[in-house]
Amino acid sequence: MANENALYRFVGKRIDYVCQSEVARGDVIVVGSVVGVAEVPGTTGQKISLTTSGVFEMVTDGAGIDQGAAVYLKGGKVTKTADGAVALGKAYSAAAAATGATVLVKIN
């Protein structure tokens, strides 16, 4: 049975965000349970767009991460530990257990 009340509005690859503080291009922002990456810099009170889908290279917390693993955001870094973190997405690459390591993450 189709939901006759659902009307298509847009693709949904971006979300508008009103900056709560200064935002740099590439900053990872959490809106509720949605993670977005700032497309442009913004100042407090300014509305900008956050990209909510795609694969991004991000710095890890130094722990090894397996390709395909669920990953989380904690303290601005990617972690494989869910405790006290925000769900970020899936690891599209593996990351070595090393300080400053990066991993490719498909967000949301």
Side-chain angles (χ1 to χ4, degrees), residues 66-88:
D66 294 329
Q67 184 179 29
V71 291
Y72 305 87
L73 183 67
K74 186 172 183 180
K77 295 185 178 182
V78 178
T79 181
K80 61 183 180 182
T81 305
D83 189 38
V86 174
L88 183 58

Side-chain angles (χ1 to χ4, degrees), residues 19-24 27 29 41-46:
C19 300
Q20 305 302 304
S21 60
E22 297 292 314
V23 172
D27 279 356
I29 309 289
T43 58
T44 303
Q46 182 180 9

